[in-house]
Amino acid sequence: MIRFLNSLSRAVEPFQPLDPAGKVVKMYTCGPTVYSFAHIGNFRTYLFEDLLQRHLEARGYTVNRVMNITDVDDKTIRNSRAADVPLAEFTEKFTAAFFEDMRTLRIKDANVYPAATDPENIAEMIVMIDFLVKKEIAYQAEDGSVYFRINRFADYGHLAHLDLDELRPSGRIQSDEYEKESLGDFALWKAWDVADGPVGWDSPWGRGRPGWHIECSAMATRILGPQVDIHCGGVDNLFPHHEAEIAQSESYTGKKFVRFWLHSAHLLVEGQKMSKSLGNFYTIRDLIGRGFTGREIRYALLRVNYRLQLNFTFDGMVEARQSLLRLDEWIHRLRDLAAEAPPDKEYPPATSDSFFAALDDDLNISAALAELFKQIRTTNQLMDANELRPGQAAALLQWWENVNQVLQIQSNEEMIPAAVEELLRQRAAARTAKDWQLSDALREKISDLGWTVKDTKDGQKPTKTR
RNA sequence: GGCGGGGUAGCCAAGUGGUAAGGCCGAGGUCUGCAAAACCUCUAUUCGCGGGUUCGAUUCCCGCCCCCGCCUCCA
C-alpha cells in the first residue's frame, strides 16, 4: 500500500486513485514559467514528480500526467519586451530549452503539456471566469481586472492553514491593488496595461490576459476533469497558488478538486538560498558546463526525500558521482558473470521487493537507496568469493532493470573511441613485454582522454569516467 | 507575530519504546608489477540542550536553544 503525506490533511494517508478500477492515476504538476532557463531548484521538483510517477507505474498504475507551460505572465512579457522579441517567439526558445533539460535529466514526458496561451485554454479560462462572475463569486473592479472574492469561498486558507484575518499586508502588496474589495482577492483576468504591449486577448471584460492561478484550474479541469488524484508542486506554490486553484475549481465544478496534495521542499545552495546576486544560481546547463552529467545531477537532486530541504553542494555532486561509479562497477561485474546465462528466477535476492516497499512509504528514497546498496555489497562479496552463479547474476540484472526503471541512473554505455583503442593495444603489448614504465605512461594518456583502465586477470578493462 | 520543516558520525542521511540503515570522504589490510575496482577492519557508548514518564527514550511528554522556509502571483 502506497502512502503519501498529504499537505491537505498534514497526515500520511493510504493512496487510492479515484478510478473505480483502481488503475489510472490523474496527476497534475505545475510546470515552468518560460521566461528564462529553469534552475536546479525547479528541476528538483520535477525530479520528485518523475520519481513519483515512475514509482506509481512500478506499482502497476497508469499515470495520466499533465504539466502546464506558463507562457504568459508579468515576467515573460517583461523579458520578451526587453529582448524586443514577440512573446510567442521568446517563450518558444525557453520552452525548447526546458524540454532539452528534462531529457538531460531523464524525466519522463507528461502525457500533455498544455500552454496557457493555447486558444482552447484561454477559451476555457474565459468560460470559468464568466461562470464565477455570474455567480458573483468574482467581480470586475474599477481597474478593469476581474478578481476572485475570497470571502465567497469558505474553505479559502484551509490548505495553507492560514487564518485570513491574521494576514497582514507585506511590502509586496502594491498600492495599485486598492481596487480590490478585499486584500486577499486575486486576479482571474488582468486588464490590458500599456506595459503589455501587443499581448492580450479579447474577453467579456475587455482586452486583457489571464491571471496565473486560473490557468492551472482551467487546464486541469479541461484535460483531467473536475477531480484529480494528485497535484504536486514546490512548497512555495502552496499559498497562494494552490489555495487559489482550489477556490476557483471547486467554485466552478462543485466537486473536491484534488485528493492528494504533495509539495516538495526548496533547495539551498551551499547552505544559502539560491540567488543570482549570491552567484550560486545554477541551471542544468551550468552544471553540464562544469563537467557533470545529467544522471549525476539527477542522482544528486533525487537522493534526499522531497519533503526535506536539500542543500545542493559541489561536494554532494562528487558524492553522487562516486556512488554512481560504484553502481556501474557492480553492473559490469554482473554482466561479465551472467554472460548469456538464463536468469535464475528463484534466486531470492533477485525477487526482493524492499526497494519498492521503501518507496511506498511517502517515497522514502534514502531507505530505498540503502536497499540497493545493501544488494550491491552482498553480491560483490559473493562474486569476490566466487559464489555467485551466472544465472543468479542474470537474475540480479533483471532486478536492477526494474529498480532502474524508477531511478533512471544507469550509465549510457559509451563506445570506446578509436584513440583509446589504439592506446590500449599499445599498452597490452607493453605489458606483455613487462615494460611497466610505458604501461603506466599509457594509462596516464588514456586517463587524459577520460577513460580509466583497470588490469584484471582477464586483461585490461576500460571505463569512461567523465 | 502566525503557520510549517529541520537539528543523528568529517559531510549527506534513514530509523525505531529495547539498545544507531545506507552513501561519500579518511586510516589500515587482502588482492595487484604498481595502480584501479572489489572486499574486510576501524571511524556516533551516542542521536541540539535540560527535565519528566518508563524496567528501558534518539524514538513519548514538558520547557529551552539554534537553523531554514512560507505569510498574496517565486519549484
Side-chain angles (χ1 to χ4, degrees):
Chain A
M1 176 62 83
I2 298 181
R3 296 179 302 277
F4 295 124
L5 178 51
N6 191 344
S7 302
L8 202 56
S9 63
R10 294 189 177 176
V12 175
E13 300 173 18
F15 175 74
Q16 264 302 280
L18 204 58
D19 175 24
K23 183 141 177 72
V24 176
V25 176
K26 291 182 180 181
M27 187 162 147
Y28 188 89
T29 47
C30 284
T33 301
V34 284
Y35 68 102
S36 69
F37 294 111
H39 55 70
I40 54 175
N42 296 302
F43 286 108
R44 196 244 172 143
T45 294
Y46 306 144
L47 280 165
F48 137 63
E49 291 157 354
D50 188 52
L51 179 68
L52 172 61
Q53 169 162 14
R54 289 176 183 275
H55 184 245
L56 285 168
E57 289 173 346
R59 284 311 199 190
Y61 293 106
T62 300
V63 177
N64 184 192
R65 184 164 69 90
V66 174
M67 178 177 263
N68 65 290
I69 304 289
T70 298
D71 58 356
V72 57
D73 81 320
D74 292 352
K75 291 188 294 266
T76 45
I77 293 172
R78 192 202 329 119
N79 288 10
S80 69
R81 297 201 76 197
D84 200 23
V85 173
L87 181 67
E89 191 182 314
F90 181 83
T91 57
E92 213 289 313
K93 174 186 160 193
F94 290 109
T95 303
F98 166 73
F99 285 123
E100 197 180 309
D101 291 345
M102 292 288 270
R103 276 193 297 278
T104 299
L105 297 181
R106 307 179 180 184
I107 294 173
K108 191 164 188 159
D109 272 334
N111 299 64
V112 195
Y113 287 101
T117 61
D118 291 342
E120 62 271 34
N121 292 326
I122 295 280
E124 177 75 15
M125 291 180 231
I126 289 175
V127 168
M128 282 179 83
I129 297 169
D130 189 50
F131 177 91
L132 295 173
V133 169
K134 288 188 170 129
K135 291 272 178 190
E136 296 184 353
I137 293 167
Y139 60 92
Q140 184 165 27
E142 285 189 20
D143 62 355
S145 294
V146 179
Y147 294 95
F148 187 98
R149 207 170 250 137
I150 59 166
N151 56 29
R152 283 295 305 277
F153 189 75
D155 233 18
Y156 193 79
H158 178 231
L159 175 68
H161 295 246
L162 286 178
D163 181 349
L164 296 173
D165 298 333
E166 302 245 329
L167 285 186
R168 55 179 199 187
S170 81
R172 283 208 256 171
I173 295 177
Q174 298 303 313
S175 54
D176 64 357
E177 302 201 20
Y178 56 78
E179 292 90 350
K180 296 193 289 189
E181 289 178 1
S182 167
L183 199 63
D185 291 353
F186 53 88
L188 296 171
W189 188 260
K190 295 187 154 189
W192 185 86
D193 179 275
V194 66
D196 292 348
V199 179
W201 289 263
D202 291 323
S203 82
W205 317 282
R207 193 164 175 77
R209 60 186 166 95
W212 180 41
H213 312 307
I214 195 71
E215 281 177 33
C216 287
S217 286
M219 295 190 259
T221 305
R222 183 177 69 75
I223 300 166
L224 295 174
Q227 295 188 283
V228 308
D229 292 302
I230 304 177
H231 191 133
C232 320
V235 269
D236 54 324
N237 276 342
L238 199 144
F239 188 86
H241 186 53
H242 292 159
E243 199 74 68
E245 281 188 52
I246 293 172
Q248 297 159 345
S249 300
E250 298 191 358
S251 296
Y252 178 66
T253 67
K255 289 185 174 161
K256 182 165 177 155
F257 179 43
V258 172
R259 303 175 57 244
F260 285 80
W261 285 96
L262 271 56
H263 292 98
S264 61
H266 272 192
L267 179 63
L268 296 177
V269 173
E270 305 287 352
Q272 293 184 292
K273 189 165 178 163
M274 180 164 56
S275 74
K276 285 184 172 144
S277 58
L278 284 171
N280 64 355
F281 187 96
Y282 300 113
T283 63
I284 300 303
R285 287 126 209 281
D286 292 335
L287 297 181
I288 297 289
R290 285 173 177 243
F292 293 103
T293 63
R295 72 160 184 152
E296 286 169 345
I297 301 167
R298 178 179 173 94
Y299 185 79
L301 295 180
L302 211 51
R303 58 195 246 275
V304 173
N305 182 273
Y306 73 96
R307 291 272 175 185
L308 298 176
Q309 274 180 354
L310 169 63
N311 187 15
F312 177 88
T313 62
F314 284 98
D315 282 351
M317 285 304 298
V318 172
E319 180 185 331
R321 168 172 291 171
Q322 294 304 112
S323 303
L324 290 172
L325 287 177
R326 178 140 173 247
L327 172 71
D328 294 347
E329 204 61 47
W330 177 68
I331 295 165
H332 284 136
R333 286 185 80 180
L334 284 175
R335 281 187 184 148
D336 285 350
L337 177 59
E340 302 298 314
D344 173 4
K345 292 195 170 18
E346 305 296 302
Y347 186 52
T351 64
S352 168
D353 187 56
S354 57
F355 174 86
F356 302 97
L359 289 180
D360 283 347
D361 182 17
D362 197 32
L363 300 179
N364 188 338
I365 187 71
S366 298
L369 289 172
E371 296 302 327
L372 169 62
F373 280 99
K374 279 185 211 165
Q375 189 86 290
I376 289 175
R377 178 145 38 75
T378 51
T379 52
N380 274 331
Q381 283 169 343
L382 291 169
M383 286 191 281
D384 278 0
N386 251 317
E387 285 172 5
L388 195 72
R389 315 185 73 76
Q392 295 172 331
L396 284 168
L397 283 169
Q398 288 194 333
W399 176 83
W400 164 246
E401 284 296 313
N402 295 331
V403 170
N404 189 52
Q405 205 53 45
V406 174
L407 292 178
Q408 289 294 312
I409 53 172
Q410 185 167 308
S411 75
N412 296 319
E413 294 304 320
E414 303 258 1
M415 294 292 289
I416 301 172
V420 173
E421 286 279 19
E422 174 55 26
L423 291 171
L424 287 169
R425 254 196 306 280
Q426 292 176 21
R427 187 162 179 275
R431 295 181 63 73
T432 312
K434 292 199 190 291
D435 184 346
W436 306 124
Q437 238 181 329
L438 180 57
S439 170
D440 289 352
L442 288 165
R443 181 164 58 197
E444 272 302 303
K445 279 193 179 178
I446 293 167
S447 168
D448 291 344
L449 294 174
W451 289 71
T452 297
V453 59
K454 286 182 289 178
D455 298 308
T456 72
K457 62 182 188 324
D458 301 321
Q460 304 181 84
K461 294 249 164 143
T463 23
K464 182 144 171 62
T465 41
R466 54 160 220 267

